[in-house]
Amino acid sequence: MGYGVWTVEIIPAEIQPPARSVAGASGNRIRFASNPVTNGGDAADLAVALNEQVLLERLGELKPGCMILLEDKWRTDPNPSIAAQYRKTYDELTESGFRLVEVPMEAECRKLVSDPRRGKNMFVLGLLCGIYAFDLQVAREQIAFIFATKPQAVIDANINLLEAGYAWTRANLEMRVNIPATKPTLPQLVLNGNSAIGLGIVASGMKACAMYPITPATSASHYLSEIFEQVGGFVHQAEDEIAACCFAIGASYAGGCAVTITSGPGYSLKQEAIGLAVMAEIPLVVVNVQRGGPSTGQPTKVEQGDLLATVFGCHGDAPKVVMAAASIEDCFYSMITARKIAETFNTVVVVLTDASIASAQTTIPRPQSDPAWHAPPLDQNPVAPGALRYDWDSETGLARRVIPGQPGGMHCVTGLAHDRRSRVAYDPRNNEEGLRNRSRKLITLQQTLRTPAVFGEESGDMLIVGWGSTKGAIEEAVRRVRAEGARVGALHLRFIQPMPPGIGEIIRRFKRVLVVENNWSDPVDGAGVTEDNRRFSNLAWLLRARYLVDADCWSEVMGQPIKPSTVVRIIRERLS
Amino acid sequence: MGYGVWTVEIIPAEIQPPARSVAGASGNRIRFASNPVTNGGDAADLAVALNEQVLLERLGELKPGCMILLEDKWRTDPNPSIAAQYRKTYDELTESGFRLVEVPMEAECRKLVSDPRRGKNMFVLGLLCGIYAFDLQVAREQIAFIFATKPQAVIDANINLLEAGYAWTRANLEMRVNIPATKPTLPQLVLNGNSAIGLGIVASGMKACAMYPITPATSASHYLSEIFEQVGGFVHQAEDEIAACCFAIGASYAGGCAVTITSGPGYSLKQEAIGLAVMAEIPLVVVNVQRGGPSTGQPTKVEQGDLLATVFGCHGDAPKVVMAAASIEDCFYSMITARKIAETFNTVVVVLTDASIASAQTTIPRPQSDPAWHAPPLDQNPVAPGALRYDWDSETGLARRVIPGQPGGMHCVTGLAHDRRSRVAYDPRNNEEGLRNRSRKLITLQQTLRTPAVFGEESGDMLIVGWGSTKGAIEEAVRRVRAEGARVGALHLRFIQPMPPGIGEIIRRFKRVLVVENNWSDPVDGAGVTEDNRRFSNLAWLLRARYLVDADCWSEVMGQPIKPSTVVRIIRERLS
Amino acid sequence: MSTCTLIPDWCRISEEATHSIEDYGRGVPRWCLGCGDHAILAAVQRYCRDEQLPLEKTVFVSGIGCSSRFPHYMETYGFHGIHGRPFPIAEGIKMVRPDLNVFVSTGDGDCCSIGTAHWIHAIRYNMDMTVLLHDNEIYGLTKKQASPTSPAGLKTNTTPRGSRLNPLNPLSATLGVANVSFVAQAVDWIPDLLHDIIRMASLHKGFSFIRVLQRCPAYLPTEFEAQTRNPERVLLLKHQDGLTLPPEIAQTYRNQEEHDPGDIHRAREIASASDPIPVGILYHNPAVPCYEDSVDRDRIDTAETTHAFLEQEMDKFTIWPTSSEARRA
Amino acid sequence: MSTCTLIPDWCRISEEATHSIEDYGRGVPRWCLGCGDHAILAAVQRYCRDEQLPLEKTVFVSGIGCSSRFPHYMETYGFHGIHGRPFPIAEGIKMVRPDLNVFVSTGDGDCCSIGTAHWIHAIRYNMDMTVLLHDNEIYGLTKKQASPTSPAGLKTNTTPRGSRLNPLNPLSATLGVANVSFVAQAVDWIPDLLHDIIRMASLHKGFSFIRVLQRCPAYLPTEFEAQTRNPERVLLLKHQDGLTLPPEIAQTYRNQEEHDPGDIHRAREIASASDPIPVGILYHNPAVPCYEDSVDRDRIDTAETTHAFLEQEMDKFTIWPTSSEARRA
Ligand SMILES: Cc1ncc(C[n+]2csc(CCOP(=O)(O)OP(=O)(O)O)c2C)c(N)n1
Ligand SMILES: Cc1ncc(C[n+]2csc(CCOP(=O)(O)OP(=O)(O)O)c2C)c(N)n1
Ligand code: SF4
Ligand code: SF4
Ligand SMILES: [Mg+2]
Ligand SMILES: [Mg+2]
């Protein structure tokens, strides 16, 4: 308690990877500090491994010379090839400079419980409490809390294991690390991004969610399925993504504002239906929890590859609002903002997040619930005679919303070109009028947006521009290079379409602009790559086109969150 | 014969618009000249109307003071309101300065045939032959040719009507226009864009086409359905566009190179499957005959609104080749080029056309059929032991193609991230390698493209940049303003992804760049529009981003081809 | 004076009637002369008038096609969506607003080709809506391509040498799907039965599927000619739990079968037949639950209850500044 | 020496055999221990061995799901496509290459949810391919969401208070579709019958649809427990035109019905039953034509014939320099 913390589950991509295999690594990355933590950080200072194989693919994530607590039972495995494998790996790792500490986890646990596989984690927790000098009493209380519904014997067994681990450290290990906890004064939520989305949907007052399962978006719907009906909401698992999107459109049309949640391949399928909502001016919130692409790609991995597909992906001119959540906290608030914009502007709001915040957990200040968050109650008032469905305001492009049940408001919405009464109209004037007003809504929204604050230097040698989940890592990197004296600032975009005012001005205050994102771009020094053919990263395209600035980009597609140290390295390279 | 000609069918958007109604106008726009005609041109010099109502919505398409030959039977219609309507319209049009000539079409025809509705067109043809001093004998021969399978009486009746029309002109009309025909020395094809696509598919040697009906793409498949089986091809009407795209992918995988033909909404639905073909490196040709958008939009109308959705529309990084046919002739040749590129690069090639060339007819030089056009025969040779499916060449990014039936080539293609053996591989290295090589293929292709020639001035005050169907109109406009002394050139892009080399250089030779396209852009002087929020036209986004040139854009969404005179007007405005 | 005894019970016209048939119509339908869609529109408007359905409480949903223009010609709420997707849109509407009367108009391409997945799943969801499949056995709007219900051998623009496949039978297919609760067939040229079937479908609580054989004189001018001429080629299904035949109809169409709409096996057999054309209620099971009823509708949710719930839910994730409070949740 | 008399006729092992079962396998399947997919893979590999299917002439196509990993574990050609679309991919392959043996592995989500439209239309196309629906009644790969075939009331991650709907019955649905030609049900825990059914399906020329009830110990560990324990809860369908039961099987599973696979009405009745689980060939009609056979395959097309045809076709659109030539076409 009282630490900044960021944890990421390591989930194997395969349903059933072979045991003791490289691909089979499952686990948890934990980063904690006295202050709030905004990202998963760099290489690890300490690793705990239940077998040596899981380490192999992940050595790059360990700091050189870092300590590895290793289950030692494999050294004496009855299967000689396993034992040999263990020794070989042990020796190699030691040679590479890692500080390996063999811990008899299984043996110690077996002293206390019959099935040590189910208790090792508590023993390890005890080990760590010993190293980091955690208050054992808090851990005991937490165990009692988590297993509150279980018999006392279970609680006792777990506490015994905890204490055994603690005792083992104290008896066998020198290493102690003291990270002072700051006493928090305000309540904090411990959440991952997908739960934050679920909670945000409840807070926004939306009442319908339609989805089709897809990793890594689905867990947001799981959480929502559990709670939504308690506030009169409903989660519909549709037969496919197209149906989910259309169901949400129908629900929104009928008076709610609905959300549909998906990931890349599902988003591609929804493109046509999203165009319908834009055309018919029906509020709709779409959440795209991005994953590795293209095609089925890397379903469980991190990427930010869908930005341009979101902005431009639908045939014809379909102006929609595109937002990106920059943090787990943002996941919560962006649902509230998205619902409000969708209903005010009668249009589609897409919120982009990605696997790196969807399943990572952190603490966020507990939101102060606000009645203004919720959607207004269903309007069933009569519509004034002669009122037009699309009474586009010539200033704002906004038109009224009319909901079935409202006497006198009867009309037929359509995805065809239409006039102000929503009647099919193919003539050039009506077509132009519709396109103009739908586009103008983005201008109207743009005028209400605030220029985002620059992090770090307000002007200088280099501006790093990012969007979405990379905010924490980029700002941490900027903090570090500034400490070295570099004149670097960072700009982070939450609204990508429309883009807030003032960006161009900020950009022009810096000598160079580097866009950092987690998606593909041709490396600037790649074979054959020239300014004439280089394929830029997603946001770089948009900035270059709008601000005519020679924005360079650096991006990667490692299936991992971008590390602060990587950004530091890139900044140093480009500045020198 | 021996004229340059461009005809456009006027098809009502509704299945059954009311008779004598504005929306019901059906007909034909014909433009002809001594020289080749590349577009539908401006306002008409002469109109023939079978009733006065059809004129009303289309007055803007008539030259001020132009002659209108009008069926006079409505003047004496038994329904007094129709007669009144006729007189009123007649008077108004006369007042507006049109030269109305009432022609007793029905009455004259009735002298020769019992059902004049079926003969009026021949009578009108006779009228026109009289005015334009066409060789009546050629017309007679053509009638005999067209009705060759009909009884002689039918041929005679039609020739009689023709001659009656001719005689009427000679007796009643002063106006004569003589447009000299140039004697062509080479054979010409009379084709519309969709038939050219059908013919091009046959010429390319592709053997499978999968489609789902959608206006205005369908007629290409209609034509293909009629002929394809005669060369061992097959047209599959699938249950939807997704199935059509996947069927084509399956067919290509199995050894053919298949094409799928669609329009906007269908293209949006195919986005996910297109990503699969890119990822698995399966050759695929996609034709998108664009129409008015967004959503169902204006199904029968002209627009070029799908360019960005084609370039960027698929989630993740899915680099594909995007071409646009600049003319009806191009529709033919682009199929041959697309098939070749698709099979050489094992990727997706999208060819964009639109309603303005799909259903317009013109004459093109008859192609000299070339054996190199056709696809190579199915490769069923054994694959060398140990060969890798994705043996990406580090220079070009190209990999081999392996076709089922080839002994030793067995592998499982997948849309998941994969290694060179096509095995699922989620590790960063394999993922990056795949993305890099798929992207590199575009660089390789780019290096083989030729810089397009500039039309008009090679440098000067303004460069007009266009793509696709607008080529004829833009170049005609440039010719006209140059005749007035303006220093203007035009650049037309057939390859949009990758873009050919040398474009940046050309652009920099001009003071200003204006992109002209048939899609939405916020007008530069629109309310609230600033450089910070303006939504540019499709190609303008791409040029601005790549060449960092302040490319202005002018675009319209009138559902009509852009007229040369409009482009002239815009150029004059922007230059002054 | 009440006239109730003088009119058949399905026609609930009474003094309270405030909407005439005309009140339900909007604009002039843009269908070809002789198009069966006109008859379907007339029957629906008549039914609406009979039931005095409130205009503002009624929504017609459709996809894209000639038939899908239907909502534009109703003076109710309408949703003319995208091709193949009327069902999910209608489901979203009904789920949020069970108080609305929801109708779906769809074509044989819209429903049985691109919309197949949604159609099959809509049957399974069994939400309370009335579905009119305007089956003209052709793609009308896009000008004569084969549809899944086109007869084998039919020459169309995409099958110039004749359609290669036997037609899909929408009735058989529907009857194979779980939760099917109401299946009927009507023909556009017997308007009274069409009307009666629409009425029975609307009264059924659940997904009421009516396949209407609809003439398309533009592209299939002779398709149902024989059947319209010869009453022998129509088989009327009657039953006390199904359709009761008006006397004039019963006299004209002598080909009749007593069919219990509760018998799904016989219903499937009847569905397979195409000559004579079965007309009537093939299947009806009022006991199948509706998807929208799986939600608790009695609760009243206000901003306050939402607020309270949110606080309570956040408690579960909260770490309070002092550790003893951590256990509050 | 021929050993043919010693082995059952379905097992065509002979001296010519060149491929062992192992030859058909590739890599180690990444399915959970006890997953029914292992048994399906084994049965398919055994069948391939029996038939000595040439590795290079055989293609396994799938969508996305645990079950759709299938092609990766076969040493044949494979196409692991996108979710819900294995059928159209397989159709494209078969249309262009009728010489290939085409198999489809799909899951209950892949086939009966997102892929529904393609599934229904694949039945109607009746192209010659063998389809294995790995029906584990759950979404495996995405970790336990309800599938259309999930039992009502099942608690999953998207239905935490129990699934709201009755399951879709893939057999009934398939039997409602035009051109259906082969429908069978197998269970992963009776491998010999699974193998025999795969064999009969493959021998059928047309779209052979096998629903395999497949256990998912990870997410539905108890789903088929009762049936695996108690042979009484399985009903074997046998017939001279269907399955002939191996003696050991016939002895274990005493619950048997003589069912003529030509009888579609009875097939539909059987399909509706879920307890006992029917296992065997429900329907078989060898007479339904295959879509791929609607094309003339006898013609030989070369670059020359294409060239000649193109010239001839262009003639139709040509205007020749002299008007007399205009009539050449
Ligand atoms: C995604 C998409 N694909 C295709 C079309 C083109 N389209 C419009 S209506 C239609 C089919 C019409 O047939 P049907 O559903 O039977 O209706 P009908 O016109 O016969 O009433 C098609 C293919 C479209 N609008 N959108
Ligand atoms: C377009 C798209 N939507 C959703 C997904 C996510 N997804 C992968 S497999 C699957 C369903 C798996 O269930 P099933 O088909 O029954 O196969 P099983 O894993 O049970 O064998 C889903 C929803 C996806 N990959 N692509
Ligand atoms: S084309 Fe056919 S379905 Fe469409 S309006 Fe005309 S008759 Fe009716
Ligand atoms: S999750 Fe289920 S279906 Fe998937 S591999 Fe495991 S047991 Fe098999
Ligand atoms: Mg139809
Ligand atoms: Mg499953």
Side-chain angles (χ1 to χ4, degrees), chain A residues 15, chain D residues 30-32 35 37 66 136 140-141 214-219:
Chain A
I15 264 283
Chain D
R30 299 284 172 92
W31 291 310
C32 304
C35 175
D37 287 337
C66 290
N136 57 4
L141 191 66
Q214 173 233 323
R215 288 169 296 177
C216 171
Y219 298 124

Side-chain angles (χ1 to χ4, degrees), chain A residues 11 14-18 23 211-215 218 222 225-226 229 234-235 237-241 269 295-296, chain D residues 30-33 64 66 69 81-83 85 109 113-114 139-143 145-146 157-158 160-161 164 219:
Chain A
I11 307 168
E14 311 271 349
I15 264 283
Q16 185 75 346
M211 49 70 72
Y212 183 74
I214 186 161
T215 308
T218 320
H222 291 174
S225 303
E226 267 184 27
E229 284 183 52
F234 187 79
V235 177
Q237 180 182 326
E239 59 272 23
D240 64 17
E241 284 90 349
L269 288 170
S295 195
T296 313
Chain D
R30 299 284 172 92
W31 291 310
C32 304
L33 202 71
I64 299 288
C66 290
R69 286 297 180 95
I82 44 178
H83 191 39
R85 323 296 174 190
S113 196
I114 190 171
Y139 282 15
L141 191 66
T142 47
K143 305 195 166 170
Q145 297 84 22
N157 282 318
T158 42
R161 282 163 302 285
R164 303 161 196 268
Y219 298 124

Side-chain angles (χ1 to χ4, degrees), chain B residues 306 358 426-427 439 441 467 479 551 573:
Chain B
D306 300 351
Y426 293 125
D427 59 295
S439 192
K441 292 194 287 185
W467 63 281
R479 199 178 300 123
E573 277 174 25

Side-chain angles (χ1 to χ4, degrees), chain B residues 91-156:
Chain B
D91 295 343
E92 285 171 9
L93 292 178
T94 309
E95 250 166 69
S96 322
F98 292 108
R99 287 190 289 149
L100 273 81
V101 178
E102 293 189 271
V103 184
M105 302 183 197
E106 177 120 347
E108 289 293 320
C109 291
R110 207 178 279 285
K111 292 179 191 164
L112 297 165
V113 290
S114 56
D115 182 0
R117 270 184 308 167
R118 308 196 59 188
K120 261 186 211 172
N121 55 347
M122 283 300 156
F123 182 82
V124 169
L125 181 61
L127 287 177
L128 297 174
C129 284
I131 294 174
Y132 291 105
F134 290 151
D135 182 350
L136 214 54
Q137 184 51 25
V138 174
R140 281 194 206 97
E141 283 175 17
Q142 201 57 31
I143 290 175
F145 172 60
I146 288 168
F147 294 105
T149 60
K150 294 275 157 71
Q152 186 62 34
V154 173
I155 297 177
D156 293 344

Side-chain angles (χ1 to χ4, degrees), chain A residues 109-423:
Chain A
C109 292
R110 206 177 281 284
K111 294 179 188 161
L112 297 165
V113 290
S114 57
D115 181 0
R117 270 183 307 166
R118 309 197 58 187
K120 261 185 208 172
N121 55 347
M122 284 301 157
F123 181 83
V124 170
L125 180 61
L127 286 178
L128 296 175
C129 286
I131 294 174
Y132 292 105
F134 291 151
D135 182 349
L136 216 52
Q137 185 50 28
V138 176
R140 281 193 207 96
E141 283 174 18
Q142 202 56 31
I143 289 174
F145 172 59
I146 289 168
F147 294 103
T149 59
K150 295 275 158 71
Q152 187 62 34
V154 173
I155 297 176
D156 292 345
N158 277 290
I159 289 178
N160 290 344
L161 285 160
L162 174 84
E163 289 172 346
Y166 191 84
W168 196 93
T169 308
R170 295 276 144 180
N172 298 285
L173 270 183
E174 297 274 285
M175 184 183 176
R176 297 284 180 279
V177 182
N178 197 346
I179 296 175
T182 39
K183 198 114 199 108
T185 49
L186 290 170
Q188 306 278 320
L189 301 187
V190 182
L191 274 183
N192 67 27
N194 274 354
S195 303
I197 282 175
L199 216 51
I201 288 171
V202 170
S204 78
M206 288 192 273
K207 289 286 147 66
C209 168
M211 49 70 72
Y212 183 74
I214 186 161
T215 308
T218 320
S219 66
S221 318
H222 291 174
Y223 174 54
L224 206 56
S225 303
E226 267 184 27
I227 61 171
F228 212 11
E229 284 183 52
Q230 295 177 57
V231 281
F234 187 79
V235 177
H236 172 58
Q237 180 182 326
E239 59 272 23
D240 64 17
E241 284 90 349
I242 299 173
C245 196
C246 289
F247 188 103
I249 290 171
S252 276
Y253 162 78
C257 174
V259 59
T260 182
I261 307 179
T262 192
S263 299
Y267 191 85
S268 282
L269 288 170
K270 287 177 208 268
Q271 294 278 20
E272 192 208 6
I274 287 173
L276 170 66
V278 171
M279 180 65 147
E281 305 195 36
I282 294 170
L284 176 70
V285 177
V286 182
V287 178
N288 179 353
V289 184
Q290 298 163 97
R291 63 189 221 180
S295 195
T296 313
Q298 302 201 104
T300 60
K301 300 282 169 110
V302 178
E303 206 180 286
Q304 302 182 289
D306 300 350
L307 181 58
L308 290 171
T310 308
V311 173
F312 293 124
C314 181
H315 69 279
D317 190 61
K320 65 189 86 65
V321 179
V322 181
M323 298 169 58
S327 64
I328 291 173
E329 189 173 9
D330 244 19
C331 289
F332 178 84
Y333 289 107
S334 62
M335 289 298 100
I336 297 164
T337 313
R339 201 275 305 153
K340 262 224 155 80
I341 294 177
E343 290 205 304
T344 307
F345 289 84
N346 285 329
T347 194
V348 176
V349 181
V350 184
V351 178
L352 295 168
T353 77
D354 65 54
S356 79
I357 47 179
S359 54
Q361 290 210 49
T362 191
T363 55
I364 65 169
R366 180 176 164 131
Q368 298 280 333
S369 172
D370 180 343
W373 287 351
H374 309 320
L378 191 69
D379 183 0
Q380 294 284 272
N381 292 315
V383 171
L388 301 168
R389 168 67 176 86
Y390 297 104
D391 59 340
W392 292 301
D393 181 276
S394 61
E395 282 288 297
T396 62
L398 292 181
R400 82 179 63 234
R401 183 169 178 201
V402 179
I403 294 170
Q406 289 189 266
M410 289 83 69
H411 66 282
C412 179
V413 301
T414 178
L416 285 164
H418 46 265
D419 64 15
R420 289 177 174 249
R421 291 187 299 169
S422 198
R423 308 226 174 147

Side-chain angles (χ1 to χ4, degrees), chain B residues 312-558:
Chain B
F312 293 125
C314 181
H315 69 278
D317 189 61
K320 66 188 85 67
V321 178
V322 181
M323 297 169 59
S327 66
I328 292 174
E329 189 174 8
D330 247 18
C331 289
F332 177 84
Y333 289 107
S334 62
M335 289 299 99
I336 297 165
T337 313
R339 199 277 303 155
K340 262 222 157 75
I341 295 177
E343 290 204 304
T344 306
F345 290 84
N346 285 329
T347 193
V348 176
V349 181
V350 183
V351 178
L352 295 168
T353 77
D354 64 54
S356 78
I357 45 177
S359 54
Q361 290 212 46
T362 192
T363 54
I364 65 168
R366 180 175 163 134
Q368 297 281 332
S369 171
D370 179 343
W373 288 350
H374 311 319
L378 190 70
D379 183 359
Q380 294 283 272
N381 292 315
V383 171
L388 301 168
R389 169 64 176 87
Y390 297 104
D391 58 343
W392 293 300
D393 182 274
S394 61
E395 281 288 297
T396 62
L398 293 181
R400 82 179 65 234
R401 183 169 177 202
V402 179
I403 294 169
Q406 290 190 266
M410 289 82 70
H411 66 282
C412 178
V413 300
T414 178
L416 286 164
H418 47 264
D419 64 14
R420 289 178 174 245
R421 291 186 302 168
S422 197
R423 308 225 174 148
V424 177
Y426 293 125
D427 59 295
R429 205 185 47 74
N430 277 302
N431 188 49
E432 197 272 341
E433 185 170 41
L435 281 153
R436 174 160 36 83
N437 283 295
R438 290 188 298 270
S439 192
R440 176 153 303 167
K441 292 194 287 185
L442 290 193
I443 293 175
T444 305
L445 174 59
Q446 196 257 358
Q447 288 164 344
T448 72
L449 297 181
R450 265 207 310 260
T451 307
V454 178
F455 179 91
E457 304 291 327
E458 285 287 337
S459 64
D461 292 330
M462 182 180 270
L463 178 71
I464 310 292
V465 189
W467 63 281
S469 66
T470 53
K471 183 167 191 274
I474 291 176
E475 295 188 350
E476 187 167 332
V478 168
R479 199 178 300 123
R480 287 197 222 163
V481 295
R482 286 183 71 211
E484 299 170 0
R487 298 189 51 239
V488 174
L491 180 67
H492 208 80
L493 296 179
R494 282 190 172 84
F495 278 91
I496 293 172
Q497 180 162 283
M499 257 186 220
I503 306 291
E505 233 172 276
I506 295 173
I507 284 180
R508 283 185 283 273
R509 296 204 300 258
F510 288 84
K511 292 213 188 98
R512 310 178 59 173
V513 176
L514 179 70
V515 180
V516 170
E517 24 184 346
N518 208 328
N519 54 34
W520 177 260
S521 64
D522 290 333
V524 65
D525 52 359
V529 174
T530 68
E531 283 301 301
D532 259 15
N533 61 27
R534 184 177 184 202
R535 296 179 61 246
F536 300 98
S537 64
N538 282 231
L539 181 61
W541 272 112
L542 296 176
L543 294 180
R544 291 174 65 91
R546 178 160 300 294
Y547 303 109
L548 302 176
V549 55
D550 192 359
D552 192 2
C553 56
W554 175 88
S555 66
E556 65 172 15
V557 284
M558 291 308 174

Side-chain angles (χ1 to χ4, degrees), chain C residues 1-280:
Chain C
M1 185 201 78
S2 162
T3 57
C4 281
T5 50
L6 289 178
I7 51 175
D9 81 333
W10 42 262
C11 192
R12 302 196 198 153
I13 297 172
S14 73
E15 292 89 339
E16 294 92 73
T18 53
H19 292 305
S20 66
I21 286 193
E22 290 68 37
D23 289 347
Y24 288 96
R26 181 194 292 154
V28 181
R30 299 284 171 93
W31 291 309
C32 305
L33 200 73
C35 175
D37 287 338
H38 292 289
I40 302 176
L41 182 65
V44 166
Q45 290 177 345
R46 185 173 139 204
Y47 166 72
C48 290
R49 191 269 324 264
D50 298 348
E51 291 291 332
Q52 287 295 306
L53 294 188
L55 295 166
E56 73 276 12
K57 287 285 198 179
T58 305
V59 187
F60 282 83
V61 184
S62 66
I64 300 287
C66 290
S67 39
S68 288
R69 287 295 180 96
F70 200 98
H72 285 284
Y73 308 137
M74 293 296 301
E75 190 55 50
T76 60
Y77 280 91
F79 199 129
H80 180 210
I82 43 177
H83 191 39
R85 325 294 176 193
F87 292 120
I89 291 173
E91 290 154 12
I93 295 171
K94 190 74 191 178
M95 180 57 79
V96 170
R97 297 290 301 279
D99 59 313
L100 300 176
N101 306 304
V102 177
F103 291 79
V104 174
S105 270
T106 179
D108 42 319
D110 200 55
C111 174
C112 308
S113 196
I114 189 170
T116 310
H118 314 307
W119 163 41
I120 300 294
H121 286 275
I123 300 165
R124 179 167 174 253
Y125 298 139
N126 192 42
M127 301 186 76
D128 186 20
M129 57 183 74
T130 300
V131 177
L132 293 153
L133 168 58
H134 302 230
D135 191 351
N136 57 2
E137 306 183 351
I138 195 79
Y139 282 15
L141 191 67
T142 47
K143 307 198 166 167
K144 200 173 187 179
Q145 296 84 22
S147 103
T149 64
S150 290
L154 184 74
K155 293 201 166 125
T156 72
N157 281 319
T158 42
T159 59
R161 282 163 302 282
S163 147
R164 304 160 195 269
L165 293 164
N166 293 319
L168 193 87
N169 183 325
L171 300 173
S172 300
T174 303
L175 286 163
V177 180
N179 289 347
V180 57
S181 70
F182 186 100
V183 180
Q185 179 154 276
V187 294
D188 73 31
W189 61 89
I190 317 182
D192 284 342
L193 287 188
L194 176 58
H195 168 274
D196 291 5
I197 290 169
I198 291 170
R199 180 185 147 266
M200 301 219 35
S202 301
L203 294 181
H204 167 64
K205 181 159 186 327
F207 185 84
S208 311
F209 182 79
I210 310 173
R211 179 198 193 196
V212 187
L213 295 177
Q214 172 233 324
R215 288 169 297 177
C216 171
Y219 298 124
L220 282 185
T222 60
E223 181 55 10
F224 300 110
E225 207 173 40
Q227 289 86 346
T228 50
R229 291 231 187 98
N230 181 357
E232 287 297 306
R233 296 191 55 185
V234 169
L235 170 70
L236 299 191
L237 307 175
K238 59 180 181 181
H239 193 267
Q240 62 192 41
D241 299 337
L243 217 52
T244 40
L245 302 177
E248 336 77 83
I249 301 265
Q251 254 155 35
T252 315
Y253 297 90
R254 300 304 196 94
N255 221 336
Q256 299 175 6
E257 177 175 328
E258 191 74 24
H259 166 62
D260 176 359
D263 179 356
I264 196 163
H265 295 302
R266 179 65 197 140
R268 286 175 176 159
E269 285 176 17
I270 293 172
S272 306
S274 58
D275 192 9
I277 296 173
V279 168

